[in-house]
Amino acid sequence: MDATTVRGVLVRVVDAAKAVVPGADLVSVTLRTASGLHTPAETDPLATRLDEIQYRIDDGPCVDATRKAGLGLTFCSDLASSTRFGAFGPAAAELGVHSVLAVGLFPDGDGPRMGALNIYSRQVAGLDELDRDLTLVLAAHASTALAATMAATSSELEGAQLRQALQSRDVIGQAKGILMERRGISADEAFDVLRTASQSLNVKLAQVAQTLVDHRAEV
């Protein structure tokens, strides 16, 4: 698969996610185009079927992840018993899929996002915190690689969204490092501090991170 094309980039991303995310049974990428959402790459046709159910009812984790502010992370550990996504949860469970994790591409930009990386598990509670962390990293990589590929035909994407994604990722990393050093906590714990502050203040995680970096002497 040609890694210089959009589809080539996305195939490499879903294959990597299937290989490195422990709880991943099925992986797909949702992509937003002028005609709506579609699935250009997946590791199993069932993943596309699950995505398409969500597109049809305009509800579900992969749809939600393209709309959310902040990280654009949507998670459900038991689709059969959840009423969060309407008809999607029971439909997914009937197809043998019980957990889902979706992360928006360009996770720190303003919505709507250009798509989402979707991880499905056949097990109840089949995806844990490690899976979420790895998926966030993969989504950030996918966003950057996809932007670089699409920049050949979209100077606006190259000029605005790519810079924003890279800058946000860098400042979040700096903020995590400050918390880890000053408070003696792990990377996951530092990220949780930032995420909790973002949710409590209703401010984008990247903005919380930037504030921390700007006031590092006061932490």
Side-chain angles (χ1 to χ4, degrees):
M1 182 63 65
D2 187 353
T4 64
T5 67
V6 170
R7 174 164 168 74
V9 169
L10 297 180
V11 167
R12 291 185 65 180
V13 168
V14 297
D15 287 345
K18 179 69 166 56
V20 305
V21 176
D25 290 319
L26 316 168
V27 182
S28 68
V29 170
T30 292
L31 199 62
R32 183 183 298 281
T33 65
S35 59
L37 299 175
H38 74 288
T39 301
E42 27 89 313
T43 60
D44 188 294
L46 179 56
T48 296
R49 186 174 176 186
L50 292 164
D51 292 349
E52 289 177 345
I53 293 171
Q54 298 171 71
Y55 306 154
R56 185 171 63 251
I57 66 176
D58 194 32
D59 193 13
C62 72
V63 174
D64 191 34
T66 69
R67 295 171 173 163
K68 291 179 65 116
L71 286 172
L73 187 152
T74 304
F75 176 74
C76 183
S77 62
D78 189 355
L79 287 164
S81 63
S82 174
T83 59
R84 180 179 177 186
F85 301 114
F88 173 69
E94 286 183 8
L95 293 170
V97 172
H98 294 277
S99 304
V100 62
L101 167 63
V103 179
L105 302 182
F106 289 105
D108 299 302
D110 293 328
R113 309 187 191 290
M114 68 186 306
L117 176 61
N118 313 309
I119 311 291
Y120 297 101
S121 170
R122 299 183 187 278
Q123 306 299 318
V124 174
L127 297 163
D128 59 19
E129 288 292 338
L130 173 61
D131 297 316
R132 298 184 211 187
D133 292 341
L134 289 171
T135 304
L136 284 168
V137 171
L138 287 164
H141 168 74
S143 300
T144 304
L146 191 57
T149 303
M150 296 176 69
T153 56
S154 175
S155 59
E156 179 181 355
L157 181 65
E158 180 183 31
Q161 289 182 306
L162 177 57
R163 280 200 299 271
Q164 183 179 46
L166 291 172
Q167 290 168 358
S168 295
R169 184 183 62 184
D170 288 347
V171 78
I172 290 171
Q174 291 176 44
K176 284 173 59 179
I178 292 168
L179 289 171
M180 291 167 66
E181 177 186 0
R182 303 291 174 85
R183 299 192 181 182
I185 58 179
S186 68
D188 289 348
E189 289 169 332
F191 182 79
D192 285 340
V193 170
L194 294 172
R195 180 169 53 189
T196 300
S198 171
Q199 294 171 343
S200 299
L201 297 171
N202 195 27
V203 174
K204 291 179 183 178
L205 189 141
Q207 291 177 303
V208 172
Q210 185 66 63
T211 299
L212 177 61
V213 171
D214 291 344
H215 297 275
R216 68 181 69 193
E218 303 166 21
V219 177

